[in-house]
Amino acid sequence: MTLNDQITEIRSKFSKDLKLAKTSKNIEHLKISYLGKKGSVQSLMQFLKDAKNDERPILGKQINDLKYEITSHLENSLKRLLLEEETIKLKSEHLDVTLPGRKHHWGRYHPVTLTLNKILDALISMGFAVETGPDVDSDFYNFEGLNFAKDHPARDMQDTFYISDDLLLRTHTSNVQVRVMEKSKPPIRCIAPGKCFRNETISSRSHVFFHQVEFFYIDENVSFVDLFATIDEFFAKLFKKPIETRFRPSFFPFVEPGMECDIKCEICKGQGCRLCKDSGWLEVFGAGMIHPNVLKAGGIDPEKYSGFAAGLGVERLAMLMYEIKDIRLFTENDIRFLKQFDL
Ligand code: PHE
């Protein structure tokens, strides 16, 4: 077969194929099978190799013409088909420009987390370092090591969820004290934030699940004065202004002497309201000088060292800072409540 015969054959096959092509995809395939490296037009190059020198330019031009012809047919068809396809697509898609846009819902911090972070920031800036303890703990770290003897009536002060005889849900973050003493040497300045659990009647002021931050300082010659100064400084940092405090003697087996610390109710400014039970004061801290038996349980010599410890309720402080009147709101996960709090 001569080159001319072949060109005629390709041309007629191409025009049939082109008529059959109904989509832009079909055109892409035709492009490959006619103009691609292994396509029919490329195969004509064989003629050039075998041709005599003077014939070669003529043959080459014929092949190029065919290439140009096929290319322009393909391009025209492709343009037409793409336009058709676009029109069909637009017709099938309805765009209602009056629909409201989709809103982005940004996550935010829970008010307890916000308060906890503020408490930690204040204490960290005063030189305390964070330690954590387990939520499920042994009787030893939660009670016995803290000077609660097995039959000590003070155990009833904290209604405990027991898992077995020896395992319980910690009732306070004081369970971190002996743990930290066991592994470190004074001076110790420690903060222990975490969840606590007590089998109490749920009301607007107390819950079975809440958070505490414990902080304690052990060194030579630590006294009650250090405790008062630390608490005052802590509140001033937290509320960014001096806060009126009130200290009352109290009993916890792991401190001697022990006390409770109240702050002036910020909601009613001391006038009396539901949150402060009309007293004008809110109890936020238990505190005291660490009992020598606790230091001993942690392997620290009470003759040489002394220390203070304090534990505060995070929800209590959050209620005060954000003027929240019911502790149950924290765990109800009502989005209308949660979305009111920002950094
Ligand atoms: N652990 C006590 C409580 O939960 C608070 C406390 C901590 C008291 C440290 C004294 C010292 O009530």
Side-chain angles (χ1 to χ4, degrees):
M1 236 202 264
T2 65
L3 176 64
N4 267 330
D5 293 341
Q6 287 232 15
I7 288 183
T8 317
E9 198 178 299
I10 292 177
R11 189 174 277 132
S12 81
K13 187 166 179 296
F14 175 73
S15 85
K16 277 185 212 145
D17 282 349
L18 192 63
K19 274 189 199 124
L20 292 176
K22 297 279 180 267
T23 65
S24 54
K25 265 247 166 65
N26 295 154
I27 300 288
E28 296 295 339
H29 287 141
L30 285 186
K31 194 171 171 189
I32 293 166
S33 75
Y34 283 88
L35 302 176
K37 262 192 195 147
K38 291 181 184 152
S40 0
V41 176
Q42 194 61 27
S43 69
L44 298 177
M45 294 303 175
Q46 196 58 38
F47 280 95
L48 293 187
K49 261 196 207 160
D50 305 338
K52 292 186 197 117
N53 278 352
D54 54 344
E55 279 182 343
R56 200 167 283 139
I58 305 165
L59 298 185
K61 184 173 180 311
Q62 283 177 306
I63 298 174
N64 266 342
D65 287 348
L66 176 68
K67 210 184 210 171
Y68 178 75
E69 190 185 318
I70 292 183
T71 309
S72 71
H73 278 302
L74 286 176
E75 275 174 4
N76 288 340
S77 302
L78 187 65
K79 255 190 227 155
R80 181 174 47 80
L81 287 171
L82 282 176
L83 198 71
E84 277 176 25
E85 284 165 2
E86 179 79 4
T87 319
I88 293 172
K89 198 172 157 216
L90 285 178
K91 271 192 189 151
S92 70
E93 285 173 0
H94 294 285
L95 183 65
D96 182 353
V97 290
T98 64
L99 275 180
R102 288 202 185 97
K103 275 190 191 155
H104 285 289
H105 292 285
W106 298 104
R108 49 181 84 217
Y109 287 107
H110 190 280
V112 168
T113 308
L114 290 173
T115 312
L116 189 60
N117 287 344
K118 285 182 184 164
I119 294 171
L120 295 186
D121 283 349
L123 288 167
I124 289 169
S125 75
M126 292 164 70
F128 288 83
V130 176
E131 294 276 351
T132 50
D135 296 349
V136 177
D137 208 354
S138 64
D139 184 275
F140 175 75
Y141 288 113
N142 195 83
F143 286 130
E144 194 140 11
L146 292 174
N147 200 32
F148 287 84
K150 274 265 185 269
D151 52 358
H152 199 294
R155 286 185 181 219
D156 298 341
M157 276 165 55
Q158 306 185 352
D159 287 318
T160 310
F161 288 114
Y162 279 95
I163 289 174
S164 66
D165 277 352
D166 187 48
L167 272 188
L168 46 85
L169 297 184
R170 70 167 163 194
T171 57
H172 50 186
T173 42
S174 306
N175 70 330
V176 177
Q177 284 190 27
V178 172
R179 265 206 178 74
V180 170
M181 291 177 206
E182 281 172 343
K183 63 170 194 180
S184 20
K185 284 202 177 73
I188 298 173
R189 289 182 203 86
C190 173
I191 347 171
K195 302 185 183 87
C196 305
F197 309 84
R198 284 185 203 177
N199 192 0
E200 281 184 18
T201 314
I202 296 175
S203 70
S204 63
R205 290 162 49 91
S206 55
H207 208 285
V208 289
F209 163 65
F210 55 95
H211 296 76
Q212 282 189 341
V213 175
E214 184 92 357
F215 61 90
F216 53 96
Y217 170 41
I218 305 170
D219 202 352
E220 288 177 36
N221 300 320
V222 175
S223 77
F224 229 48
V225 177
D226 298 302
L227 174 57
F228 288 128
T230 306
I231 289 179
D232 278 346
E233 172 80 6
F234 164 72
F235 280 131
K237 277 190 190 287
L238 192 67
F239 288 93
K240 300 196 170 60
K241 61 178 182 194
I243 288 284
E244 225 178 302
T245 46
R246 181 174 85 170
F247 297 95
R248 290 176 286 112
S250 186
F251 174 74
F252 303 94
F254 39 97
V255 286
E256 180 57 40
M259 63 180 194
E260 270 164 321
C261 168
D262 304 333
I263 62 178
K264 193 52 115 10
C265 179
E266 275 291 297
I267 293 187
C268 61
K269 308 279 178 245
Q271 298 305 304
C273 66
R274 200 171 84 158
L275 183 68
C276 62
K277 275 196 188 153
D278 291 326
S279 69
W281 294 91
L282 269 167
E283 177 202 322
V284 278
F285 266 108
M289 299 307 292
I290 300 177
H291 196 288
N293 288 349
V294 178
L295 293 172
K296 268 190 228 154
I300 289 177
D301 180 2
E303 300 295 327
K304 187 162 178 211
Y305 297 106
S306 56
F308 68 69
L312 69 99
V314 181
E315 279 79 357
R316 279 275 163 85
L317 268 184
M319 289 168 84
L320 206 74
M321 290 169 74
Y322 295 109
E323 308 201 353
I324 297 166
K325 301 211 169 67
D326 195 319
I327 197 172
R328 291 171 285 204
L329 287 164
F330 291 123
T331 42
E332 276 167 4
N333 270 347
D334 185 333
I335 203 80
R336 292 166 303 177
F337 168 72
L338 294 174
K339 72 180 181 193
Q340 300 174 61
F341 304 97
D342 267 318
L343 287 177

